[in-house]
């Protein structure tokens, strides 16, 4: 076992982690621990753009962007945080340009902008061009640019180090972060990182669904690590289903395709979004479009022999426009479906895409241990966190924005905090939990297989807690997850070695997914209303009287060792916008 | 909207949930077990429209959990799963079974020229070191940063578009015979990333980068075999980019 000491430790090297690292490395001795090489992160899969009211191509301002974000989140957004997001968006984009990001340009050389779902002029009048983009690989360009600047700043990376535990030490009755425990994939060695400040930027948890745009590696490791230590998770019932995933595969096809003029059609060729969202049509918010697609499918207007998908039609757009603005997604259609998007529409279905919920933080990225108390030394940013700027449904292009605005904030806040404090003593035997977890899995002779349990989990999540939910379906999921958690105790792995043991890694990841799936389902069961990405057929309306509040889920362990989830609630911060009926 | 063609595609898709039997012939190496690498065959049932990566997952998940490879996004964006498939460098997640003659055994090996650590996993550190050596970040000499964005014409932006697509998967570098024979050569990926900045109108360190690539391990080692261009899963014209850098070194115009 090795022990390292750093002022600031960042967990994860996607957009949020690297944006934080650029700031914290300038200010403090920083280590970035990442289970993948930095440029492998799923930020690189983001396509359409990053929202900012630059007003380069038409009138726009940050207040309209704030409103759209609040409305898009079905009023569950903390409005103070949304205002920061929209205001700081402008500098966040300009900072990236100065770091070298090759945005697409307007004829006069400024950053070009395009339309995106839910972003509107003057509080919903019409779509507005707010998304700053680099073809349909904006996330790739952000990830590359941030990595390039990490190289420039000399950021210290520990590649293929998998953080398995958060260390918390009680000092004078206050629980403080004292570091993390990591597993080095290449050698199987355990490392303790003692740190004055820890920032989680480890991304989402979409892999508990089967049809998902998420990478295999998005298994909620950060959320699970802090949750196991008794810290809450906020709004986990809110998960975004992106309308346009490749049929059956879930690979993302950007909303920018509709921003460029693409149209959704049912089997009759009808542009069905006109019925559901007369003003914004195909560019209504993602939750609305995903529900509309499934409504079409359920009412028998889906396409194909099984009627289980609809079409994304780009055939009316000039091939030059597709080549210039949407080269990657058109290539995906050719590679994976054998379809030529110039002439044929693309079969799509909603795909599990983004966790609105996560580790609760304030606007400085400080992690909360209840509705108001900060955990000294602990920070989170990006998809792993819940600020909450996305509320019940995130707008497209607001996540690339979120990682830059709140990654930067967390990086600065953590490094500055590290300057004001001494190291917190590590708990006694800090690696105890990780050592026993690994040894248990490595020596288990149980007869359950990781792949089998994961498949069953993904199938129950797709069937029961996806776009449409009811008390009955959620209960089915809760029971199934409980069964899988029980069976997980008998999981064994075939690779008993220490070197690059990805068999072991997948077993640990499955444990994280099971913990988080349970939190999601239990939180969803208790929210007896429909709001944003959480749609209850048995409670189809939003209920502001009883549910205009954030869910806070805590893990509790009884004296006899039994685990349970305790739900509490946190008020929503409302400043200028009163909840209204949401129409697009 | 042209639906007839599509109906055909979908009908085929629905009907062809038919599986075929394929053999994966995989180069295995685990120094914890043996100092020697060996070939191992796995037979599996697979839909020919699935990816080679899906096949590797089936083996790992259902047959042999010790099979080790890197992967993440599974759709050609993250660059984790470059490997030699039937003797050519490809991404396992971008190669469909039906496109590589499933009638014969599909050979899968680690990419060449980098030390194999276990099965299909190689040591990527030398690759990333070469990348870092070309100063892959925008360098400007502005004393006053502009308050807004720097202006760049659409034409100037287009000039280096091709080389911005690089995902650092190492398929090009590890397909290069010069790199195989001499690990000191920067390799195509590093040159591609230097090109991305040399030809960016906003950058002011082109001369410095050219001097780095003028080194005896730099661009002049390239023998224009075009392996790199063939290997690139992003369709970057790698050899052309290297030639443009060579030309810039001669003319000092870029």
């Amino acid at each position: 076992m090795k022990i390292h000491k750093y002022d600031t430790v960042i967990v994860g090297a996607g957009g949020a982690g690297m944006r934080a690292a650029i700031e914290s490395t300038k200010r403090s001795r920083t280590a970035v621990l990442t289970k993948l090489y930095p440029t492998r992160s799923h930020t690189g899969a983001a396509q359409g753009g990053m929202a900012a009211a630059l007003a380069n191509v038409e009138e726009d301002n940050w207040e309209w962007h704030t409103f759209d974000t609040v409305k898009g989140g079905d009023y569950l957004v903390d409005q103070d945080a949304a205002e920061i997001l929209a205001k700081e968006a402008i500098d966040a984009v300009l900072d990236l340009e100065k770091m070298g990001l090759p945005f697409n340009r307007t004829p006069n050389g400024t950053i070009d902008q395009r339309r995106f779902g839910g972003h509107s002029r003057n509080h919903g009048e019409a779509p507005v061009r707010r998304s700053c983009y680099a073809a349909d690989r904006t996330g790739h360009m952000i990830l590359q640019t941030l990595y390039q600047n990490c190289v420039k700043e000399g950021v210290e990376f520990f590649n293929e180090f998998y953080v398995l535990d958060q260390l918390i030490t009680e000092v004078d009755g206050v629980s403080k972060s004292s570091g993390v425990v990591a597993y080095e994939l290449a050698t199987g060695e355990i490392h303790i990182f003692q740190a004055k400040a820890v920032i989680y930027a480890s991304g989402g948890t979409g892999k508990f669904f089967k049809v998902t745009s998420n990478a295999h590696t998005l298994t909620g490791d950060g959320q699970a690590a802090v949750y196991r230590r008794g810290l809450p998770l906020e709004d986990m019932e809110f998960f975004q289903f992106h309308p346009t995933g490749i049929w059956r595969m879930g690979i993302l096809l950007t909303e920018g395709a509709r921003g460029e003029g693409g149209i959704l059609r049912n089997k009759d060729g009808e542009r069905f979004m006109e019925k559901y969202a007369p003003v914004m049509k195909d560019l209504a918010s993602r939750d609305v479009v995903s529900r509309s697609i499934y409504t079409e499918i359920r009412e028998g207007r889906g396409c194909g022999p099984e009627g289980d998908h609809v079409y994304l039609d780009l055939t009316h757009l000039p091939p030059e426009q597709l080549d210039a603005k949407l080269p990657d997604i058109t290539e995906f259609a050719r590679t994976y479906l054998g379809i030529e998007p110039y002439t044929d529409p693309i079969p799509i279905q909603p795909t599990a895409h983004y966790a609105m919920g996560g580790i609760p933080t304030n606007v400085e990225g400080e992690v909360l241990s209840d509705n108001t108390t900060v955990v000294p030394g602990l920070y989170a940013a990006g998809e792993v966190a819940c600020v909450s700027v996305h509320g019940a449904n995130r707008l497209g292009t607001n996540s690339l924005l979120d990682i830059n605005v709140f990654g930067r904030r967390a990086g600065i806040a953590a490094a500055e905090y590290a300057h004001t404090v001494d190291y917190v003593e590590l708990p006694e035997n800090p690696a105890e939990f990780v050592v026993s977890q690994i040894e248990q899995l490595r020596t288990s002779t149980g007869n359950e297989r990781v792949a089998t349990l994961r498949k069953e989990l993904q199938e129950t999540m797709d069937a029961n807690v996806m776009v449409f939910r009811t008390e009955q379906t959620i209960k089915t999921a809760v029971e199934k997850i409980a069964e899988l958690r029980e069976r997980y105790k008998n999981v064994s792995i075939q690779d008993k070695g220490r070197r690059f043991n990805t068999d072991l890694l997948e077993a640990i990841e499955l444990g994280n997914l099971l913990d988080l799936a349970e939190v999601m389902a239990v939180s969803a069961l208790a929210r007896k209303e429909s709001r944003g990405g959480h749609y209850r057929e048995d409670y189809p309306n939003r209920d502001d009287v009883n549910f205009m509040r954030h869910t806070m889920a805590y893990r509790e362990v009884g004296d006899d060792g039994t685990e349970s989830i305790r739900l509490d609630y946190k008020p929503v911060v409302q400043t200028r916008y009163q909840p209204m009926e949401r129409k697009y | 909207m042209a639906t007839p063609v599509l109906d055909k595609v979908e009908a085929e898709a629905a009907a062809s949930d038919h599986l075929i039997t394929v053999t994966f012939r995989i180069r295995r190496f685990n120094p914890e077990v043996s100092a020697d690498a060996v070939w191992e065959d796995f037979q599996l049932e697979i839909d020919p429209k699935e990816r080679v990566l899906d096949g590797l997952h089936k083996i790992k998940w259902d047959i042999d959990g010790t099979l080790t490879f890197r992967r993440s996004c599974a759709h050609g964006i993250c660059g984790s799963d470059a490997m030699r498939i039937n003797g050519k460098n490809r991404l396992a997640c971008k190669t469909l079974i039906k496109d590589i003659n499933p009638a014969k055994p599909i050979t899968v090996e680690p990419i060449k020229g980098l030390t194999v650590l276990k099965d299909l996993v190689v040591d990527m550190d030398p690759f990333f070191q070469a990348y870092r050596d070309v100063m892959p970040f925008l360098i400007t000499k502005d004393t006053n940063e502009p308050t807004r964005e720097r202006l760049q014409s659409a034409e100037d932006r287009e000039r280096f578009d091709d080389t911005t697509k690089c995902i650092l998967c190492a398929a090009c570098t590890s397909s290069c015979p010069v790199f195989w024979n001499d690990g000191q050569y920067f390799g195509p990926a590093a040159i591609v990333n230097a090109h991305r900045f040399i030809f960016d109108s906003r950058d002011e360190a082109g001369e410095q980068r050219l001097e780095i690539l003028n080194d005896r391990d730099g661009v002049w080692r390239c023998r224009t075999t075009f392996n790199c261009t063939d290997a690139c899963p992003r369709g970057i014209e790698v050899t052309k980019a290297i030639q443009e850098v060579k030309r810039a070194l001669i003319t000092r115009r870029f």
Side-chain angles (χ1 to χ4, degrees), chain A residues 17-317:
Chain A
M18 292 204 284
R19 189 66 188 83
I22 288 167
E23 299 302 330
S24 78
T25 297
K26 289 175 188 164
R27 295 169 172 84
S28 68
R29 191 160 168 269
T30 299
V32 181
L33 315 186
T34 168
K35 80 171 173 179
L36 304 169
Y37 272 83
T39 55
R40 311 302 185 216
S41 127
H42 215 52
T43 296
Q47 297 165 356
M50 172 167 164
L54 297 183
N56 277 0
V57 289
E58 61 181 311
E59 186 186 359
D60 198 7
N61 65 64
W62 63 259
E63 190 273 320
W64 293 353
H65 185 185
T66 308
F67 171 79
D68 289 337
T69 300
V70 170
K71 178 184 171 188
D74 220 348
Y75 296 90
L76 196 71
V77 170
D78 286 328
Q79 296 183 12
D80 54 340
E83 188 166 318
I84 288 170
L85 182 81
K87 267 187 192 167
E88 296 189 3
I90 295 160
D91 277 341
V93 166
L94 297 178
D95 284 349
L96 285 171
E97 196 284 325
K98 285 166 196 169
M99 286 186 209
L101 198 140
F103 285 106
N104 277 43
R105 300 287 172 156
T106 64
N108 57 16
T110 57
I111 295 169
D112 198 10
Q113 300 188 271
R114 68 176 166 206
R115 291 174 179 160
F116 234 80
H119 290 281
S120 75
R121 173 164 52 93
N122 194 16
H123 313 99
E125 272 181 15
V128 74
R129 294 169 67 181
R130 185 178 289 149
S131 165
C132 308
Y133 67 99
D136 56 354
R137 47 176 181 275
T138 315
H140 164 78
M141 296 298 195
I142 287 177
L143 192 68
Q144 295 292 327
T145 301
L146 292 175
Y147 182 59
Q148 289 155 3
N149 281 269
C150 284
V151 171
K152 186 178 179 182
E153 297 294 337
V155 171
E156 193 174 347
F157 287 99
F158 289 80
N159 296 328
E160 301 186 317
F161 274 57
Y162 185 31
V163 170
L164 293 181
D165 197 15
Q166 166 64 36
L167 298 175
I168 289 181
T169 307
E170 200 170 298
V171 184
D172 302 329
V174 179
S175 291
K176 297 183 174 184
S177 168
S178 48
V180 298
V181 185
Y183 175 87
E184 184 181 2
L185 194 54
T187 61
E189 193 168 8
I190 290 169
H191 296 254
I192 310 286
F193 285 82
Q194 189 176 11
K196 295 175 181 176
V198 171
I199 306 173
Y200 279 90
S202 46
T205 181
K207 223 39 202 177
F208 51 38
F209 287 100
K210 184 172 142 211
V211 176
T212 174
S213 63
N214 281 205
H216 286 285
T217 43
L218 285 170
T219 50
D221 310 321
Q223 295 89 323
V226 303
Y227 174 69
R228 259 197 313 271
R229 290 290 168 195
L231 298 174
L233 296 176
E234 181 175 351
D235 288 343
M236 289 295 282
E237 65 271 38
F238 294 103
F239 206 93
Q240 177 164 87
F241 304 95
H242 191 291
T244 53
I246 289 182
W247 176 46
R248 292 183 173 179
M249 300 183 84
I251 295 171
L252 180 68
L253 299 178
T254 177
E255 194 168 289
R258 284 169 283 139
E260 293 291 339
I263 291 170
L264 296 171
R265 297 188 191 277
N266 60 22
K267 72 168 183 184
D268 304 320
E270 180 194 5
R271 183 180 192 179
F272 58 84
M273 280 311 300
E274 286 176 335
K275 293 184 294 196
Y276 303 96
V279 177
M280 298 291 280
K281 298 187 176 92
D282 299 90
L283 288 175
S285 69
R286 290 177 178 173
D287 57 328
V288 172
V289 180
S290 285
R291 276 195 294 280
S292 306
I293 291 170
Y294 269 125
T295 303
E296 291 296 303
I297 289 172
R298 285 173 151 203
E299 293 178 359
R301 294 185 295 278
C303 307
E306 290 169 43
D308 59 353
H309 56 276
V310 298
Y311 292 136
L312 172 63
D313 183 8
L314 307 175
T315 57
H316 54 293
L317 302 177

Side-chain angles (χ1 to χ4, degrees), chain A residues 393-410:
Chain A
N393 171 66
R394 174 177 68 74
L395 289 190
T397 66
N398 268 356
S399 62
L400 289 178
L401 177 56
D402 177 6
I403 59 177
N404 278 286
V405 167
F406 289 101
R408 174 177 171 276
R409 282 179 157 250

Side-chain angles (χ1 to χ4, degrees), chain A residues 248 306, chain B residues 12-19 47 49:
Chain A
R248 292 183 173 179
E306 290 169 43
Chain B
E12 271 175 16
S16 76
D17 285 330
H18 78 272
L19 303 178
D47 181 335
K49 292 190 303 306

Side-chain angles (χ1 to χ4, degrees), chain B residues 23-159:
Chain B
T23 302
F24 272 64
R25 181 161 292 166
I26 301 176
R27 192 71 175 161
R28 303 293 307 267
F29 172 64
N30 183 359
E32 282 185 301
V33 177
S34 161
D36 300 319
V38 293
W39 291 100
E40 186 171 358
D41 282 7
F42 297 91
Q43 281 213 338
L44 55 150
E45 303 276 293
I46 196 163
D47 181 335
K49 292 190 303 306
E50 289 194 83
R51 298 160 273 203
V52 169
L53 179 64
D54 297 315
L56 294 173
H57 272 146
K58 277 181 207 292
I59 296 167
K60 184 171 183 65
W61 294 342
D62 301 335
I63 305 172
D64 183 352
T66 68
L67 180 64
T68 303
F69 49 92
R70 293 189 176 106
R71 88 290 186 253
S72 187
C73 79
H75 67 284
I77 291 300
C78 77
S80 298
D81 64 349
M83 44 191 82
R84 252 169 104 77
I85 299 167
N86 284 354
K88 282 178 75 174
N89 280 9
R90 313 171 195 247
L91 297 183
C93 62
K94 252 190 132 172
T95 309
L96 303 192
I97 301 287
K98 70 181 171 64
D99 296 334
I100 49 166
N101 187 14
K104 287 205 239 165
I106 297 166
T107 63
V108 184
E109 309 161 74
I111 47 177
K112 285 172 74 173
L114 295 160
T115 307
V116 181
L117 301 176
K118 183 179 175 184
D119 290 347
L120 304 171
V121 174
V122 299
D123 179 7
M124 293 293 285
D125 283 349
F127 173 81
F128 277 100
Q129 186 56 51
Y131 168 79
R132 286 193 291 269
D133 285 345
V134 301
M135 301 192 300
F137 38 81
L138 188 74
I139 298 173
T140 59
K141 294 176 185 145
D142 306 338
T143 40
N144 295 321
E145 274 220 328
T147 49
R148 293 288 296 195
E149 68 265 49
R150 291 188 188 82
L151 299 182
Q152 181 169 52
S153 72
E155 293 72 36
D156 284 346
R157 165 67 180 76
E158 182 61 26
R159 180 68 189 84

